[in-house]
Amino acid sequence: FLITMKKMNASPSETVIIEDSVGGYKAAVSSGAICVICPDKTVGCNYNFPQAKKIISSLRDINSEEIMNLINK
């Protein structure tokens, strides 16, 4: 994530990462970016994602306005 942010000239505070796995979540949080979780239901994960800014059940549950609100908090 850090390499991509650097290539895009984006800071972590203006980057929202939507992840579906514990490993991806941990990488997103480590990068300092804003993390939204959409857990992969096929895996049956019981992790509670304590540092996620938002947990959604489907990508349909978030829109661009909500993403901008997460960035502007």
Side-chain angles (χ1 to χ4, degrees):
F1 295 124
L2 292 173
I3 292 169
T4 300
M5 283 187 271
K6 184 175 182 177
K7 286 182 179 183
M8 296 181 72
N9 198 31
S11 69
S13 65
E14 63 187 4
T15 302
V16 176
I17 298 171
I18 301 174
E19 257 304 329
D20 67 346
S21 69
V22 175
Y25 158 79
K26 289 179 178 180
V29 169
S30 292
S31 76
I34 299 161
C35 185
V36 174
I37 294 296
C38 184
D40 182 352
K41 291 178 178 61
T42 62
V43 176
C45 178
N46 292 322
Y47 196 78
N48 67 359
F49 305 100
Q51 293 178 287
K53 297 296 180 191
K54 187 171 183 83
I55 298 176
I56 57 176
S57 59
S58 166
L59 291 176
R60 294 178 184 168
D61 295 339
I62 194 163
N63 59 42
S64 59
E65 182 179 339
E66 290 175 291
I67 290 171
M68 291 307 296
N69 287 338
L70 288 171
I71 292 170
N72 294 321
K73 280 188 177 177

